[in-house]
PDB file of all heavy atoms in Angstrom:
ATOM      1  N   GLY B 376      24.033 -19.878  32.677  1.00 98.00           N
ATOM      2  CA  GLY B 376      23.662 -19.961  31.265  1.00 98.00           C
ATOM      3  C   GLY B 376      23.270 -18.603  30.715  1.00 98.00           C
ATOM      4  O   GLY B 376      23.023 -17.655  31.471  1.00 98.00           O
ATOM      5  N   LEU B 377      23.206 -18.528  29.391  1.00 98.00           N
ATOM      6  CA  LEU B 377      22.917 -17.251  28.717  1.00 98.00           C
ATOM      7  C   LEU B 377      21.818 -17.446  27.682  1.00 98.00           C
ATOM      8  O   LEU B 377      21.784 -18.466  26.992  1.00 98.00           O
ATOM      9  CB  LEU B 377      24.198 -16.743  28.055  1.00 98.00           C
ATOM     10  CG  LEU B 377      24.138 -15.516  27.144  1.00 98.00           C
ATOM     11  CD1 LEU B 377      25.449 -14.741  27.231  1.00 98.00           C
ATOM     12  CD2 LEU B 377      23.864 -15.876  25.672  1.00 98.00           C
ATOM     13  N   THR B 378      20.916 -16.463  27.592  1.00 98.00           N
ATOM     14  CA  THR B 378      19.971 -16.442  26.468  1.00 98.00           C
ATOM     15  C   THR B 378      20.224 -15.194  25.645  1.00 98.00           C
ATOM     16  O   THR B 378      20.641 -14.165  26.166  1.00 98.00           O
ATOM     17  CB  THR B 378      18.494 -16.445  26.902  1.00 98.00           C
ATOM     18  OG1 THR B 378      18.123 -15.150  27.398  1.00 98.00           O
ATOM     19  CG2 THR B 378      18.209 -17.492  27.959  1.00 98.00           C
ATOM     20  N   HIS B 379      19.929 -15.323  24.354  1.00 98.00           N
ATOM     21  CA  HIS B 379      20.175 -14.200  23.430  1.00 98.00           C
ATOM     22  C   HIS B 379      19.048 -14.134  22.405  1.00 98.00           C
ATOM     23  O   HIS B 379      18.635 -15.161  21.871  1.00 98.00           O
ATOM     24  CB  HIS B 379      21.510 -14.423  22.709  1.00 98.00           C
ATOM     25  CG  HIS B 379      21.653 -13.653  21.430  1.00 98.00           C
ATOM     26  ND1 HIS B 379      21.452 -14.224  20.186  1.00 98.00           N
ATOM     27  CD2 HIS B 379      21.954 -12.357  21.194  1.00 98.00           C
ATOM     28  CE1 HIS B 379      21.642 -13.307  19.246  1.00 98.00           C
ATOM     29  NE2 HIS B 379      21.940 -12.176  19.825  1.00 98.00           N
ATOM     30  N   ASN B 380      18.541 -12.946  22.184  1.00 98.00           N
ATOM     31  CA  ASN B 380      17.559 -12.734  21.120  1.00 98.00           C
ATOM     32  C   ASN B 380      18.020 -11.633  20.195  1.00 98.00           C
ATOM     33  O   ASN B 380      18.668 -10.685  20.630  1.00 98.00           O
ATOM     34  CB  ASN B 380      16.197 -12.308  21.675  1.00 98.00           C
ATOM     35  CG  ASN B 380      15.584 -13.379  22.540  1.00 98.00           C
ATOM     36  OD1 ASN B 380      15.520 -13.236  23.749  1.00 98.00           O
ATOM     37  ND2 ASN B 380      15.147 -14.443  21.913  1.00 98.00           N
ATOM     38  N   LEU B 381      17.648 -11.771  18.944  1.00 98.00           N
ATOM     39  CA  LEU B 381      17.926 -10.716  17.984  1.00 98.00           C
ATOM     40  C   LEU B 381      16.643 -10.452  17.202  1.00 98.00           C
ATOM     41  O   LEU B 381      16.220 -11.281  16.404  1.00 98.00           O
ATOM     42  CB  LEU B 381      19.037 -11.132  17.028  1.00 98.00           C
ATOM     43  CG  LEU B 381      19.492  -9.946  16.190  1.00 98.00           C
ATOM     44  CD1 LEU B 381      20.536  -9.149  16.938  1.00 98.00           C
ATOM     45  CD2 LEU B 381      20.023 -10.385  14.852  1.00 98.00           C
ATOM     46  N   GLY B 382      16.031  -9.303  17.461  1.00 96.00           N
ATOM     47  CA  GLY B 382      14.789  -8.960  16.771  1.00 96.00           C
ATOM     48  C   GLY B 382      15.078  -8.059  15.597  1.00 96.00           C
ATOM     49  O   GLY B 382      15.836  -7.108  15.716  1.00 96.00           O
ATOM     50  N   GLY B 383      14.486  -8.355  14.454  1.00 95.00           N
ATOM     51  CA  GLY B 383      14.718  -7.512  13.278  1.00 95.00           C
ATOM     52  C   GLY B 383      15.707  -8.177  12.345  1.00 95.00           C
ATOM     53  O   GLY B 383      15.784  -9.400  12.282  1.00 95.00           O
ATOM     54  N   HIS B 384      16.450  -7.377  11.625  1.00 96.00           N
ATOM     55  CA  HIS B 384      17.407  -7.872  10.646  1.00 96.00           C
ATOM     56  C   HIS B 384      18.818  -7.453  11.059  1.00 96.00           C
ATOM     57  O   HIS B 384      18.966  -6.496  11.821  1.00 96.00           O
ATOM     58  CB  HIS B 384      17.083  -7.304   9.265  1.00 96.00           C
ATOM     59  CG  HIS B 384      15.790  -7.824   8.704  1.00 96.00           C
ATOM     60  ND1 HIS B 384      15.169  -7.291   7.612  1.00 96.00           N
ATOM     61  CD2 HIS B 384      14.997  -8.859   9.101  1.00 96.00           C
ATOM     62  CE1 HIS B 384      14.058  -7.964   7.344  1.00 96.00           C
ATOM     63  NE2 HIS B 384      13.927  -8.919   8.235  1.00 96.00           N
ATOM     64  N   PRO B 385      19.873  -8.132  10.559  1.00 97.00           N
ATOM     65  CA  PRO B 385      21.223  -7.773  11.002  1.00 97.00           C
ATOM     66  C   PRO B 385      21.536  -6.283  10.868  1.00 97.00           C
ATOM     67  O   PRO B 385      22.265  -5.730  11.678  1.00 97.00           O
ATOM     68  CB  PRO B 385      22.116  -8.604  10.085  1.00 97.00           C
ATOM     69  CG  PRO B 385      21.298  -9.806   9.765  1.00 97.00           C
ATOM     70  CD  PRO B 385      19.882  -9.310   9.672  1.00 97.00           C
ATOM     71  N   PHE B 386      20.959  -5.622   9.866  1.00 96.00           N
ATOM     72  CA  PHE B 386      21.303  -4.214   9.646  1.00 96.00           C
ATOM     73  C   PHE B 386      20.479  -3.259  10.500  1.00 96.00           C
ATOM     74  O   PHE B 386      20.733  -2.058  10.510  1.00 96.00           O
ATOM     75  CB  PHE B 386      21.211  -3.853   8.166  1.00 96.00           C
ATOM     76  CG  PHE B 386      19.811  -3.794   7.624  1.00 96.00           C
ATOM     77  CD1 PHE B 386      19.159  -2.591   7.516  1.00 96.00           C
ATOM     78  CD2 PHE B 386      19.162  -4.940   7.236  1.00 96.00           C
ATOM     79  CE1 PHE B 386      17.855  -2.526   7.021  1.00 96.00           C
ATOM     80  CE2 PHE B 386      17.865  -4.888   6.743  1.00 96.00           C
ATOM     81  CZ  PHE B 386      17.208  -3.680   6.634  1.00 96.00           C
ATOM     82  N   ARG B 387      19.473  -3.790  11.205  1.00 96.00           N
ATOM     83  CA  ARG B 387      18.737  -2.928  12.138  1.00 96.00           C
ATOM     84  C   ARG B 387      17.906  -3.818  13.038  1.00 96.00           C
ATOM     85  O   ARG B 387      17.004  -4.515  12.580  1.00 96.00           O
ATOM     86  CB  ARG B 387      17.943  -1.887  11.355  1.00 96.00           C
ATOM     87  CG  ARG B 387      16.496  -1.955  11.371  1.00 96.00           C
ATOM     88  CD  ARG B 387      15.902  -0.718  10.718  1.00 96.00           C
ATOM     89  NE  ARG B 387      14.873  -1.156   9.800  1.00 96.00           N
ATOM     90  CZ  ARG B 387      14.106  -0.340   9.099  1.00 96.00           C
ATOM     91  NH1 ARG B 387      14.264   0.949   9.172  1.00 96.00           N
ATOM     92  NH2 ARG B 387      13.194  -0.816   8.315  1.00 96.00           N
ATOM     93  N   ASN B 388      18.238  -3.838  14.310  1.00 97.00           N
ATOM     94  CA  ASN B 388      17.640  -4.851  15.177  1.00 97.00           C
ATOM     95  C   ASN B 388      17.664  -4.449  16.650  1.00 97.00           C
ATOM     96  O   ASN B 388      18.245  -3.437  17.025  1.00 97.00           O
ATOM     97  CB  ASN B 388      18.395  -6.165  14.995  1.00 97.00           C
ATOM     98  CG  ASN B 388      19.857  -6.004  15.305  1.00 97.00           C
ATOM     99  OD1 ASN B 388      20.235  -5.851  16.457  1.00 97.00           O
ATOM    100  ND2 ASN B 388      20.700  -5.979  14.284  1.00 97.00           N
ATOM    101  N   VAL B 389      17.030  -5.315  17.437  1.00 98.00           N
ATOM    102  CA  VAL B 389      17.033  -5.180  18.895  1.00 98.00           C
ATOM    103  C   VAL B 389      17.660  -6.456  19.451  1.00 98.00           C
ATOM    104  O   VAL B 389      17.165  -7.547  19.182  1.00 98.00           O
ATOM    105  CB  VAL B 389      15.595  -5.055  19.432  1.00 98.00           C
ATOM    106  CG1 VAL B 389      15.595  -4.983  20.944  1.00 98.00           C
ATOM    107  CG2 VAL B 389      14.902  -3.836  18.844  1.00 98.00           C
ATOM    108  N   ALA B 390      18.752  -6.323  20.189  1.00 98.00           N
ATOM    109  CA  ALA B 390      19.405  -7.502  20.757  1.00 98.00           C
ATOM    110  C   ALA B 390      19.185  -7.530  22.265  1.00 98.00           C
ATOM    111  O   ALA B 390      19.255  -6.494  22.924  1.00 98.00           O
ATOM    112  CB  ALA B 390      20.896  -7.477  20.459  1.00 98.00           C
ATOM    113  N   SER B 391      18.887  -8.712  22.781  1.00 98.00           N
ATOM    114  CA  SER B 391      18.801  -8.857  24.232  1.00 98.00           C
ATOM    115  C   SER B 391      19.699 -10.003  24.664  1.00 98.00           C
ATOM    116  O   SER B 391      19.835 -10.996  23.954  1.00 98.00           O
ATOM    117  CB  SER B 391      17.356  -9.109  24.673  1.00 98.00           C
ATOM    118  OG  SER B 391      16.924 -10.377  24.241  1.00 98.00           O
ATOM    119  N   VAL B 392      20.335  -9.828  25.808  1.00 98.00           N
ATOM    120  CA  VAL B 392      21.153 -10.895  26.386  1.00 98.00           C
ATOM    121  C   VAL B 392      20.789 -11.002  27.857  1.00 98.00           C
ATOM    122  O   VAL B 392      20.745  -9.989  28.566  1.00 98.00           O
ATOM    123  CB  VAL B 392      22.665 -10.607  26.241  1.00 98.00           C
ATOM    124  CG1 VAL B 392      23.485 -11.618  27.040  1.00 98.00           C
ATOM    125  CG2 VAL B 392      23.078 -10.640  24.777  1.00 98.00           C
ATOM    126  N   SER B 393      20.457 -12.212  28.292  1.00 98.00           N
ATOM    127  CA  SER B 393      20.211 -12.401  29.715  1.00 98.00           C
ATOM    128  C   SER B 393      21.126 -13.512  30.227  1.00 98.00           C
ATOM    129  O   SER B 393      21.525 -14.397  29.474  1.00 98.00           O
ATOM    130  CB  SER B 393      18.741 -12.751  29.973  1.00 98.00           C
ATOM    131  OG  SER B 393      18.496 -14.101  29.684  1.00 98.00           O
ATOM    132  N   VAL B 394      21.476 -13.413  31.493  1.00 98.00           N
ATOM    133  CA  VAL B 394      22.267 -14.456  32.132  1.00 98.00           C
ATOM    134  C   VAL B 394      21.497 -14.931  33.355  1.00 98.00           C
ATOM    135  O   VAL B 394      21.062 -14.120  34.178  1.00 98.00           O
ATOM    136  CB  VAL B 394      23.664 -13.937  32.546  1.00 98.00           C
ATOM    137  CG1 VAL B 394      24.472 -15.062  33.215  1.00 98.00           C
ATOM    138  CG2 VAL B 394      24.425 -13.383  31.337  1.00 98.00           C
ATOM    139  N   LEU B 395      21.285 -16.239  33.433  1.00 98.00           N
ATOM    140  CA  LEU B 395      20.613 -16.842  34.576  1.00 98.00           C
ATOM    141  C   LEU B 395      21.559 -17.848  35.210  1.00 98.00           C
ATOM    142  O   LEU B 395      22.352 -18.486  34.525  1.00 98.00           O
ATOM    143  CB  LEU B 395      19.337 -17.583  34.144  1.00 98.00           C
ATOM    144  CG  LEU B 395      18.311 -16.810  33.307  1.00 98.00           C
ATOM    145  CD1 LEU B 395      17.128 -17.727  32.960  1.00 98.00           C
ATOM    146  CD2 LEU B 395      17.815 -15.580  34.054  1.00 98.00           C
TER     147      LEU B 395
END
Side-chain angles (χ1 to χ4, degrees):
Chain B
L377 173 148
T378 75
H379 159 260
N380 297 108
L381 190 85
H384 292 168
F386 71 97
R387 113 171 133 177
N388 58 72
V389 177
S391 68
V392 171
S393 79
V394 180
L395 307 179

